[in-house]
Amino acid sequence: MPMGLECDVLVAGSGASGFAAALTAAIDGLDVIMVEKADVFGGTTCFSAGVIWIPGSRQAREAGISDSREGVLSYLQAEAGNRLDRDKAEAFADNAASILDWFEANSHVSYMLSPAWSDYHPGQPGASKGGRSLGPRPFDGRTLGKWFDKLRPPLKTTTILGGMMVGREDLPQFFTMTKKLSSAQHVAKLFLRYAKDRVSYSRGTRLSNGNALVAMLARSAFERGVKLMLKTPVVELMTETGRVTGAVVEGPEGRRTIRARKAVVLACGGFPANDELRARLYDHVAAGKNHRTVAPADNTGDGIRLGRSLNVAVVEGQAQPAAWVPVSLVPQPDGTTIPFPHFIDRGKAGYIAVDKRGRRFINEAMSYHDFVPAMVEACRDDPDVHCHVICDSAGIRAYGLGAAPPRPGRLGPHIASGYIKRADTLTELAALCGIDAKGLSQTVSRLNKGAALGEDPEFGKGTDPYQRFNGSIGRSPNPCVAPIDRGPFYAVRLVPGDIGTFIGMRTDAHARALDTSGQPVAGLYVVGNDAASFMGGTYPGAGITLGPALVFGHLAARHISVGN
Ligand SMILES: Cc1cc2nc3c(=O)[nH]c(=O)nc-3n(C[C@H](O)[C@H](O)[C@H](O)COP(=O)(O)OP(=O)(O)OC[C@H]3O[C@@H](n4cnc5c(N)ncnc54)[C@H](O)[C@@H]3O)c2cc1C
């Protein structure tokens, strides 16, 4: 066995939650080692949009948006009911904004507000119609030096030309580049930077979304002396007289011990890629139905297994076991598929989702977390769960469909691969997709009648600020509704998916792991998706996993550094 290592804090996992803990501890003067199972760092966070839900931020206040502790807590209470972990919710509400300020003052982390980004259920008490969700500013990957190549790339299906990132904040410019000069200039600049990058780098270095967040945290952590070891999973926790004192890791040179003088932080990103746990804990999978995670294959629930070995409690009774998203599967040249998460296109005007009977089953502009259970229910008696999102030529030209880009992007390859179905009539499209043609035609006739007036009598699409936020730019009176009447018509097939898990270990407001009798396990902290969602498996707004990942990562490190 190679020589053991020693540090103050050992962090397992290099996503947002692990880096938040590692960076804070390092800034507090502690000696930190971070170990990562994969050969790249950044975890699911690198695939994400990097959005954080942080109520009452400086950015919101500067935009004139006021918020209150009571408002935040009553919204969380209304969403999660008796599943809300009140202690953690209060710790979050009390600390989130000042912790974001702290990261911005002490590191490269930098966030901007998207003022119109409403909470997902704006009709609930305490909900905000905009001001709690922030996105990362683009970050220059070149400043990571040799580590740039080890940063997990974004999902391939969400990049352009095989490696150019498009930030959430760039999307409006892409959607209006054929109509507005300023948008065209913005997009042209992005392409130019990308072309230059590709002379020296394997992908674009203008990082946005979750890649930007991880790069900001990682650069700061490296500057503060955090040591990162890749391909080195924690396989076992070490204890002495009931206290966690380190871990056994399995690295390229074999097994070794890492002694942690103060604490071990588990930040292994939950279990979205664990087949066995999914089959037990996701109802539709337990019923034999299909499912596809968007999270990386390394997130197999190691943290939970390690915690369980020390009797740490797992909170299973969440409203939903995971954060759902409908995905389409994009065929790759090698015969595999890569999931594309459908966060936005469903909400646009002239897009509907139908089951195989040709019926709509939900207001398509509702959040992804709400969409999937409705899809599962609509397919209750079917052998698998799927639906199709359908639009016409006006829609696809303006907004694309799934991974197929809007004009002037190329649709041809997606039609050739069978990912997108195209037909001159809705009857032919229905036949291509295995949808009942009569059902689809009746659904579209009903939709078109209401859409002429900007209404959706059947499902009320476009009736709240969250839905309108994702609607078609500049369309009034209802940005989420338009007739589907200009052939050819297009469809893409969606199946249930997830972006991470909500079931996880029980922790307190300092992120200490709690055992089955509610007592802290000395020396053990759990953050990110390894910890149970304190929102009880509900999804109140954009950024509700990464906001808490930063906040509880920070609080864990603070508790460790003051001594415990
Ligand atoms: C497409 C997409 C978009 C998303 N957008 C958002 C968003 O905008 N806002 C938001 O809040 N959430 C978003 N999410 C969800 C969010 O990405 C996750 O909830 C979050 O990244 C989880 O962070 P984490 O630190 O817990 O885990 P991760 O970022 O997954 O990091 C965990 C790391 O631990 C490593 N690991 C696993 N086992 C071990 C072990 N035994 N030893 C050492 N390391 C180990 C893994 O390899 C991984 O690198 C999105 C997810 C996806 C897929």
Side-chain angles (χ1 to χ4, degrees), residues 61-396:
R61 292 194 304 277
E62 283 172 7
I65 299 170
S66 62
D67 211 331
S68 70
R69 179 182 200 268
E70 295 68 41
V72 174
L73 290 173
S74 46
Y75 181 50
L76 290 175
Q77 191 70 60
E79 288 281 283
N82 59 11
R83 292 190 177 90
L84 185 71
D85 182 331
R86 188 79 197 182
D87 283 352
K88 288 194 72 174
E90 288 184 6
F92 179 78
D94 289 338
N95 293 296
S98 59
I99 289 176
L100 176 59
D101 285 346
W102 183 92
F103 276 111
E104 292 200 314
N106 290 286
S107 77
H108 296 284
V109 169
S110 180
Y111 265 83
M112 56 195 166
L113 187 73
S114 200
W117 205 333
S118 163
D119 285 342
Y120 287 176
H121 304 115
Q124 292 272 38
S128 163
K129 296 187 172 53
R132 292 176 178 165
S133 296
L134 300 96
R137 290 186 189 282
F139 189 74
D140 191 343
R142 292 173 297 196
T143 61
L144 281 176
K146 69 177 170 67
W147 284 108
F148 176 67
D149 279 342
K150 300 293 178 193
L151 176 67
R152 185 184 285 280
L155 264 181
K156 192 174 160 202
T157 48
T158 60
T159 60
I160 299 181
L161 299 174
M164 174 174 150
M165 293 201 73
V166 177
R168 191 65 162 78
E169 72 286 355
D170 300 318
L171 286 179
Q173 276 93 339
F174 271 84
F175 291 144
T176 55
M177 68 181 157
T178 54
K179 299 188 190 108
K180 266 170 78 181
L181 182 62
S182 58
S183 299
Q185 284 168 336
H186 179 87
V187 172
K189 251 165 87 181
L190 296 186
F191 277 108
L192 205 65
R193 162 79 185 261
Y194 181 61
K196 273 195 206 150
D197 280 344
R198 289 307 297 263
V199 176
S200 320
Y201 297 93
S202 56
R203 64 182 177 103
T205 62
R206 177 189 180 267
L207 305 177
S208 46
N209 303 334
N211 251 246
L213 170 59
V214 173
M216 289 166 182
L217 288 165
R219 183 173 168 210
S220 313
F222 299 148
E223 285 172 356
R224 299 288 183 151
V226 171
K227 295 174 211 67
L228 171 61
M229 298 163 68
L230 299 177
K231 294 195 266 185
T232 307
V234 166
V235 291
E236 219 176 278
L237 291 172
M238 305 188 313
T239 56
E240 274 167 37
T241 55
R243 184 183 179 86
V244 174
T245 52
V248 179
V249 299
E250 181 104 53
E253 296 141 32
R255 282 190 165 222
R256 64 164 39 160
T257 59
I258 302 182
R259 195 177 156 71
R261 289 180 288 266
K262 285 182 173 285
V264 172
V265 180
L266 294 177
C268 302
F271 62 89
N274 184 312
D275 290 342
E276 208 182 298
L277 287 178
R278 281 200 314 234
R280 186 161 74 74
L281 297 168
Y282 298 3
D283 285 347
H284 60 285
V285 183
K289 304 284 177 78
N290 50 322
H291 185 89
R292 182 73 181 265
T293 187
V294 188
D298 306 285
N299 291 37
T300 51
D302 292 3
I304 293 178
R305 180 183 57 73
L306 293 162
R308 275 210 163 115
S309 73
L310 299 183
N311 200 28
V312 175
V314 173
V315 182
E316 287 201 1
Q318 305 285 43
Q320 297 291 341
W324 306 129
V325 67
V327 298
S328 52
L329 303 177
V330 188
Q332 301 300 303
D334 65 1
T336 61
T337 56
I338 301 184
F340 176 89
H342 286 250
F343 292 121
I344 300 172
D345 55 358
R346 299 168 284 111
K348 302 285 180 208
Y351 288 66
I352 54 168
V354 296
D355 63 13
K356 69 179 194 182
R357 287 158 280 277
R359 294 180 318 205
R360 292 172 69 200
F361 49 88
I362 187 175
N363 171 345
E364 295 85 353
M366 297 290 280
S367 94
Y368 32 97
H369 188 61
D370 297 333
F371 188 93
V372 168
M375 169 164 62
V376 169
E377 180 57 27
C379 303
R380 171 190 280 270
D381 300 324
D382 302 336
D384 75 344
V385 181
H386 77 265
C387 69
H388 283 86
V389 172
I390 288 177
C391 68
D392 68 5
S393 58
I396 206 162

Side-chain angles (χ1 to χ4, degrees), residues 11-19 35-38 40-53 117 134 152 155 158 210 214 232-235 249 267-270 272 293-303 305-306 323 325 341 343 368 498-502 527-531 539 541-549:
V11 178
S14 63
S17 63
F19 266 118
V35 291
E36 165 56 52
K37 177 181 185 180
V40 286
F41 67 94
T44 320
T45 311
C46 274
F47 285 172
S48 78
V51 175
I52 52 175
W53 195 75
W117 205 333
L134 300 96
R152 185 184 285 280
L155 264 181
T158 60
V214 173
T232 307
V234 166
V235 291
V249 299
C268 302
T293 187
V294 188
D298 306 285
N299 291 37
T300 51
D302 292 3
R305 180 183 57 73
L306 293 162
V325 67
F343 292 121
Y368 32 97
D498 71 85
I499 55 172
T501 43
F502 281 155
V527 294
N529 289 355
D530 273 354
Y539 211 118
I544 56 90
T545 63
L546 288 173

Side-chain angles (χ1 to χ4, degrees), residues 364-445:
E364 295 85 353
M366 297 290 280
S367 94
Y368 32 97
H369 188 61
D370 297 333
F371 188 93
V372 168
M375 169 164 62
V376 169
E377 180 57 27
C379 303
R380 171 190 280 270
D381 300 324
D382 302 336
D384 75 344
V385 181
H386 77 265
C387 69
H388 283 86
V389 172
I390 288 177
C391 68
D392 68 5
S393 58
I396 206 162
R397 268 193 231 135
Y399 292 105
L401 184 58
R407 262 198 180 165
R410 292 176 65 216
L411 198 54
H414 290 291
I415 291 174
S417 73
Y419 172 66
I420 298 285
K421 302 277 190 271
R422 174 174 64 190
D424 288 335
T425 66
L426 284 169
T427 307
E428 286 161 351
L429 188 73
L432 283 178
C433 299
I435 299 171
D436 177 66
K438 199 164 154 220
L440 179 62
S441 140
Q442 287 169 348
T443 296
V444 173
S445 309

